[in-house]
Amino acid sequence: MFEIDWNILLPSLVVAGLVLVVLCVDIIRPDNKGGVSGYLSLLGVGVAIWVSLSLWGRSPTHGLGGMLFLDNYALFFNLIILAGTGLTIFVSTGFLEREEGGRSEYYLLILAATLGMMLMAAGADLIVIFLGIELMSIALYILVGFFRRRTDSNEGSMKYLLLGAFATGFLLYGIALVYGSTGTTNLREIELAVAQGRVYTHPMLLGGVALLIVGFAFKVSAVPFHMWAPDVYQGAPTAITGFMSAGPKAAAFAAFFRVMVASLGDLSGDWSGAIWMLAALTMTVGNLGALSQRNIKRMLAYSSVAHAGYVLVALVAANERGIAGGVFYLLAYAFMNIGAFAVIVALGRKGDENLEISGYAGVGFRHPGIGLAMTLFMVSLAGLPPTAGFFGKFQIFSAAVEAGYIWLTVIGVLNSLVSVYFYLGVVVSMYMRQPVGQAHAVSMTPFARVALLTASLGTLYIGLAPTSLLQMARQTVSALL
Amino acid sequence: MAVATSHYLILSAILFSIGVAGVLTRRNAIVIFMCIELMLNAVNLAFVAFARHLGQADGQVFVFFVMAVAAAEVAVGLAIIIAVFRNRETVDVAEVNLLKW
Amino acid sequence: MLTTVEIIILLPLFGAIVSGVFGHWLKKSSGYVATACVGAAWLLGLKTLVDVMGGVGVDENVYTWVSAGSFTASVGFLVDPLSAIMLVTVTTVSFFVHVYSFGYMHHDAGFARFFAYLNLFVFSMLVLILANNYLLMFVGWEGVGVCSYLLIGFWYERKSASDAGKKAFIVNRIGDFGFLIGIFTMFGYLGTVQFSEVVAKAGGGALPASAATGIALLLFLGACGKSAQFPLYVWLPDAMEGPTPVSALIHAATMVTAGVYVVARSNVLYTLSPTAGAVVAWVGVFTALLAASIALVNTDIKRVLAYSTVSQLGYMFIGVGVGAYTAGIFHLFTHAFFKGLMFLAAGSVMHAMSNELDMRKYGGLLSKMKVTGYTFIIGTIAIAGIPPLSGFWSKDLILAGAYHSHVPGHAALWALGVVGAVMTSFYMFRLILMTFFGQPRDAHLYDHAHESPPSMTVPLLVLAVGAIFVGGVTGYPLEHGWINHFLDPVLGSPDHGSGGAGLSPSVLIGISVAAGLGGFVLALVMHRSGRLGADSRQPIHKVLWNKWYVDEAYDVSIVRPIHRLSMALWTIFDTIVVDGIANGLGYTVKGISWVSGRFQTGRTPTYAMWMLFGTIAMIYAVTLP
């Protein structure tokens, strides 16, 4: 009588099982310093990627009482999220040993956050999306403050916690208002209710939509809800900063896009103006903020704000090319940004993280491989052709032109031109500044090398042969439109 | 006499606003955190009121989830605030501002 | 199997990688690798030109970069007469600049790095000119921009050099903005960015005139940035902070002409939009005069050449603006030889004079540096437009094209062009006379002067041969030369709107030759008068006194006002207004950045307050339409 299509749950189930296994390992061997857990996590992430890929291309379904979707959209985001998680684990192995002596719950928390993100991407009900967000966020609060003896790590964690919980309040209030006016929290039923006009009070629904936007805008760090991001990114352990900028951001966008386009698409006349403003502000404030930064983590934090703005442009356009472009961009962004953070981790040393951009002088000649990789990531983040970043922006902006948002495109292009300045600033520092002080040997663990190599190759591949991935991104769109 | 749904909603809105005002004006991290809990409970009230109005159980179920999540958040939150206190001997959010600009 | 075009493009990339990655170990031999790669590309480029002359063109998509729905972007190359001419120009100058750099950069610590950047530049430039679509062209466009930025700031220890790099970078951003938006708009209207399809669709009437104007002007904004046209020309004179071979290659012969190439390549758009064409032509002539007037008074040898480049690029834009695309490209072609030559010669002079750039400290160098001196003079005669050297043929073709076009005010355009030609000739001969003739003004520097090594003089000789002959060989007879027959099929022959009315061609030629000679005579007279002025106190030289009086009249009536005007232009306009805007833009953006950073106070309640403001705004925006 109660058929369960286990496939719908399978990817999340793999990760959930992994969380339990890692938890048990930690309990059995509390002093393993995360070594075993790290390998296990990698293995599990690999399995989850394989499962997600094998489910690709099926006709979209939903199940478990209408709580979860299984469609290409969710699966594509699973790939982004899992890729981000996998790369982060690779980066983390040496980093943890160097910095504070690894503790095994680190991997447990990363995996729990990953599970939350996957639920956000697949959620078919506001309850599931809410739970996914919280599962992810609570794990991240702890991860940000993981170096508990460091004041910056603490401070970032506390700010993130207080502001995150504050934003959760708005998000929940928004859910309550949407529930009150449509009588349901299920995404498909909300869509039907809006389409058929079965709405109790229209202004209340719109108020709910506005508060939902606030909640998601916080998670994707859109201006003016972005102010936590620079502080938290700077304070968090570097590997976690990279992690946060890829998966959690992608997952928040996954839920944001799905809710706005699939469920509330009929109201787009009401919300697209607001998102327009949000996108324009986010791009501008993000890039301007990054311009005067000297700390590379903080610069990349502002840069991540700016990139959220570019993806919001895709949401404003809300057409096929736009959404495909946005989804594609998030994938590209995961690779290039985690790659950049892998470089930052590699160039740090115990007791001296070497985070000033001026401290990168001469890296290009002292460590040619790392210099080359960093150049690739920076050029890609700047969106110069022929890299992944350029291609993603091209998709998004041409979609915006297609949808008639010329001015937003103009703002976007101006912004991405400004951004070239600070990204290339890093490259200039690496290749054209006289290094000060002694050259330090860079000791990268084999795992960190693999991470850097994978991120570089991924960025290159996405830039040079984007066709197949773009095709996949386009196949996700039917879930929304 | 049954209380009209709108009354519950107005109460919920007032509670929520008090919570928001508290977050903005208080400086002790724990008090701020309690104000956020107040916001969440205001939302819970709204959910229950709507559920009663619609004659459904969905909203009431949602409240349980919110409560569970809030409890988890409190556990983590207090731990983080304690960690901050250990390092700085203060939980005044205006003083915890090393990371800026 | 790789095709010839692919090999041509990949060779410099290979050179860049080898000298960049292994430069540390290869030391000086990295220069040989880099030069050999460019040399091979040069030979293959010549072969390609011969093929194209035989009617063998290429328009192939090598690799489909992306294809998604209606959108396809590919890596593809187009070899037609236009790109073949560009290919030969770029590879020829590049090769000789590489050879020259051996001598010039010999003692520099960044020898391998220099060659790596130089090869990377050649690679990007080849991508730019051989691409068969706007997107790939933009790849090259950005590539040359980055290389130029890296090379201007090559001596990064000097603050002025890194500042100049920054300035070039900021100004070029403005141009790139126009270029990118132009490509987006074109794609929005035509659904393609491939040259052949754009020509077919736009020519077939798929593009409304207003859109054509918009796209054409946006692309021209990009061209203004890269090709240093008003008001974005300010970066080019400062770019002279880079090593001289870089100035010769990038900032005279190749990269800065990319804008002209883009306009010529998009000729279908400019033909659709007469307005855009007129804007191009008038911006061109304005820039030509402005830059030339500034060059009249400058005493820094490289800056005079830089302003001269800006001015000559203005001429090219007059050509492509009035529809005489062939003339514009022809001038680009000849200019590459004589301007490249003069920059290299200037570098040779600097080499001899311990890097002194002030012409007031030169003088009488001809006897010490015969090869440099005579080749420099050849370049000067060529740029002055005195037949039969190269510059005459192409400049005359532009002026004739302007005279006969339909552009509003075409006769004025021509007349201003002639005035510019007088100025060109004057400032160039002034440079020659101050540098190579007269008495040495700094005995110490003069005593140490010596001719440069063969690796530097041989390129000078080769380019001098080019400066003498390429114009006449390809451009004779005027308007019916080989170059017209070769390029007109792609670019269209200039339409003679006024139907040949007005002055006859031979009169036009006479006037422009007179302009070139006039400038020379003026310079010579002033040069002489400088010496005669001392003698004139002796009453015996009554006749000479009279002559001096004439000179003085000249001086008061023409030269001084022009001198003052151009001084004023230079100080007020160039250093205050335009530099102010360019630098101001950078500072403003940084200032806003700093101010906006102040909001980020580090205090959680402030952040929460901003979130609340945002929430209220969001509710307002969504609920109240």
Side-chain angles (χ1 to χ4, degrees), chain C residues 1-7 10 60 62:
Chain C
M1 193 54 212
L2 294 169
T3 62
T4 316
V5 186
E6 290 160 37
I7 295 173
L10 289 177
E60 48 162 18
V62 178

Side-chain angles (χ1 to χ4, degrees), chain A residues 159 227 231 288 292 432 463-464, chain C residues 63 65 156 593 600 602 607:
Chain A
K159 284 178 176 171
M227 295 183 114
D231 295 5
L288 286 179
S292 52
M432 299 181 62
L464 294 177
Chain C
Y63 169 68
W65 185 13
Y156 47 75
S593 164
Q600 195 81 26
Y607 298 178

Side-chain angles (χ1 to χ4, degrees), chain C residues 135-158:
Chain C
L135 212 55
L136 186 61
M137 185 156 123
F138 186 68
V139 174
W141 182 271
E142 285 293 329
V144 291
V146 169
C147 293
S148 149
Y149 172 51
L150 292 174
L151 282 165
I152 293 171
F154 186 76
W155 287 317
Y156 47 75
E157 317 83 64
R158 289 214 306 245

